[in-house]
Amino acid sequence: MSDGRFSPRRGTIKFIRRWATWTTATKFKAWQEGGINNTTESMTRALITDESRIGNTLGPVQLGFVAGVILRERLPAFERMLWRACRGNVFLRQAMIEAPLEDPSNGDNVYKSVFIIFFQGDQLKTRVKKICEGFRATLYPCPEAPSDRREMAMGVMTRIEDLNTVLGQTQDHRHRVLVAAAKNLKNWFIKVRKIKAIYHTLNLFNLDVTQKCLIAECWVPILDMETIQMALRRGTERSGSSVPPILNRMETYEDPPTYNRTNKFTHAFQMLINAYGVASYREMNPAPYTIITFPFLFAVMFGDLGHGAIMALFGLWMVLKEKPLAAKKSDNEIWNIFFGGRYIILLMGLFSMYTGFIYNDIFSKSLNVFGSGWKINYDAETIIYNKALQLDPARDFERTYPVGMDPVWQVAPMNKIIFQNAYKMKISIIFGVIHMIFGVIVGLFNHRYFKNTMNIYTEFIPQMIFLIFLFFYMTTLMFIKWTKYSASNLDPYSAHCAPSILITFINMVLFKESTILTEACETPFMFAGQEFLQKILVLSAFVCIPWMLFAKPILIMQERKKQQHQPILPYSSEGQDVENSGPQSIPPADQSGGHGNEEMSEIFIHQGIHTIEYVLGSVSHTASYLRLWALSLAHAQLAEVLWNMVLQNGLKTGGAIGGVAVWAIFAFWAVLTVGILVLMEGLSAFLHTLRLHWVEFQSKFYSGLGYAFQPFAFESILEGGSSSDD
């Protein structure tokens, strides 16, 4: 037609191009199904063949292509976008890369796929590249000629081989350098930590006016002043400095840090005290007393000669192997705790052996060292046909066992626990009262050193009166009962006339009359005038309560009124008081008992809390020491259960089978003994002993509100650096 709307040649060309595209797609599909390798060269050769066939018919047809890689998870969306944006006029082929690739930005492993896209025309080329850029696909140049592609592939392979060679040589060189550096790494760490510590300390110095000297203010132990001066002179000589060091003592109002000198023996005990709180400056340090009282109170609860020997041998082994064990520097926290407290374990084991000897208890059995003081007056027939017989102390008792408990009590199944309970309960109260009184006495040294005379008259004296007149009097009655009453004495001092200490103490506090046990007993009291004395003691103890409650606040009020009416001191022309014109004089001791400018209402409240805490605490703390009796009883009963139910059954078996049974049962008994009675019971007794020291003993005098002195020492710096690195 003349208007050009329809041309047979144009329609033919469109049809041939569609046929060429369909033929190319059909060949690609056939290659894929046949398993032919999908390479850029083969696909390009096929397309060129099709284009040349079409070009021979209708002229040259140019197909362009781009190749690259894309993240595998983005490939489906990438393919859909190409199809929709290019309206199906592109051909995409892709293949997965099996090996993961490293992302250069973050070093993570990513999985990608390689793709090739065929298109026709510059417009589609631009559109395809924009889509690739939007999906962050990486495009790589690929020549159209096969010879150029082969040449490029050979060049790439050569470069890869060169890079692998360089990487291998680099890794070998790096390995040699690191191996050589590893030999000096420890020394380098030590040097770096020392240099950092020195620079950090030097940064705390101040420059003088001339900016030629450094001035430092620091805390120094008085006993080490000469050592520090010698160290400064030695440092000046070695550095070749022309400026001599100057060391001056300064007056300050700040509270100095607390520094308690320790060695490898006392360090563990000091750590127990510091775990409660670091002592204030010049406050009484309970660590020296804890060295004896801590293992002793532990042994009262743990008292067994056999178990104590196991613990002592373990502690002795750690002490003898101290240097090689310390050189290993184990990372096991439990082992480090045991090794750090090796001297505590050794003392606890030795004291437990002593108390076990006093209890005459070794693995729930007794040692008949000195011979029993009891004799049996029954004939053989009576002993055989009677399971339970009673010995009369007045008739069958000859002498007292020299040291500790008589071994005959171990074979007394009926009343052994009753006798041991009474004995251990009384000694627990005695040890507890003496321990608390000693804590109050230690507090007197604090009051005297800090010159708090007010606290001596308003706290120490009433506290001692209250504690001695009530609880120490109760322990005195125990000794009187032990020495005055006996089965061999006649009434009224025979054994059945001995009054109960607990009932006597309750009647004493409640002002109740004591009753006579039997008609043969003339009096319910242990000595003449006991009833009158007890009333005087209780009334005196009750008077101490308002004494502790009101005396100190009233005296503080009077002191403050006197200070308000003091005359004004003369004032000099230099603007200083005449009497205080000295350089930085230390303020006088606080006469208000450490309360300073605190309001009177707060002082009354504080004193009331302190009084209530002490009065109620004296009762609860005394009862708290009964844990010495309870844990000792539990330990002895567990040891007896293990012996009777485990080891005794193996000893009863005879013959060859009995030998094997004894070996197996003894191993089982030994594991239970070490695991339960030594480790678990030992840990329980350790924690209860720690509580008795922290609460019952140290609360009487120890505040623990200071801060520890931290000297500059390379040893502690290196230890701290190594622990932080781990």
Side-chain angles (χ1 to χ4, degrees), residues 8 66 248 259 314 579 612 622 692 698:
V66 293
N248 294 327
Y259 178 50
F314 177 63
E579 296 184 1
I612 295 173
T622 304
L692 290 177
Q698 293 178 194

Side-chain angles (χ1 to χ4, degrees), residues 222-223 256-260 279-285 445-447 449-450:
I222 298 177
L223 298 177
T258 302
Y259 178 50
N260 295 313
S280 302
Y281 182 66
R282 304 297 290 178
E283 186 180 15
M284 287 293 293
N285 182 21
F445 294 96
N446 284 332
H447 300 326
Y449 176 80
F450 293 111

Side-chain angles (χ1 to χ4, degrees), residues 70 73 450 476 555:
I70 190 173
E73 60 268 15
F450 293 111
T476 306
L555 291 178

